Amino acid sequence: MAARFELKKTRNEKFVFNLLAANGQVVLTSETYESKASALGGIESVRKNGPDDTRYGRLSAKDGSPYFTLKALNGQVIGQSQMYSGAKARDGGIESVQANAASAALDDQTL
């Protein structure tokens, strides 16, 4: 299975997307968007900014778990990863987004 964006509607009628790696694991989750058009714009921003290593924040949660954020050119966070077991696993998640975001298909589950 190829990498893909899953676009979903939340319980309160807003929109969120996940970028799934080829193995089906979520590697990036978006913020919540008010409209579908804004969420689709977020997906395009991930496609545009995903390959650029300078757009990633390599962070640690309060418990020390590594994770990353992806930021747009204006500095706004587009998406955040899950928590990882170590920095090497986190960096693998970043590499997955870099390699797959630009060509990932859209699975629109809002229809």
Side-chain angles (χ1 to χ4, degrees):
M1 177 185 299
R4 68 185 189 283
F5 288 98
E6 281 186 348
L7 178 61
K8 297 180 179 185
K9 198 180 274 191
T10 66
R11 284 183 235 177
N12 58 355
E13 299 297 308
K14 296 183 182 184
F15 298 86
V16 66
F17 64 82
N18 291 310
L19 174 59
L20 281 68
N23 65 4
Q25 283 205 309
V26 174
V27 290
L28 187 76
T29 299
S30 74
E31 64 179 339
T32 301
Y33 293 91
E34 294 291 325
S35 70
K36 183 175 180 176
S38 294
L40 290 171
I43 290 170
E44 288 308 310
S45 187
V46 172
R47 287 181 171 147
K48 179 181 176 184
N49 293 289
D52 186 346
D53 193 63
T54 65
R55 299 277 182 255
Y56 291 88
R58 290 162 172 86
L59 308 164
S60 294
K62 289 180 183 176
D63 70 357
S65 299
Y67 70 100
F68 66 87
T69 58
L70 175 61
K71 293 183 179 182
L73 187 58
N74 65 6
Q76 181 177 356
V77 173
I78 310 165
Q80 180 175 311
S81 73
Q82 63 183 352
M83 298 297 157
Y84 288 94
S85 59
K88 185 175 180 180
R90 178 204 53 213
D91 293 346
I94 291 171
E95 289 171 8
S96 178
V97 176
Q98 290 173 323
N100 296 303
S103 62
L106 174 61
D107 178 6
D108 187 346
Q109 298 182 1
T110 67
L111 304 175

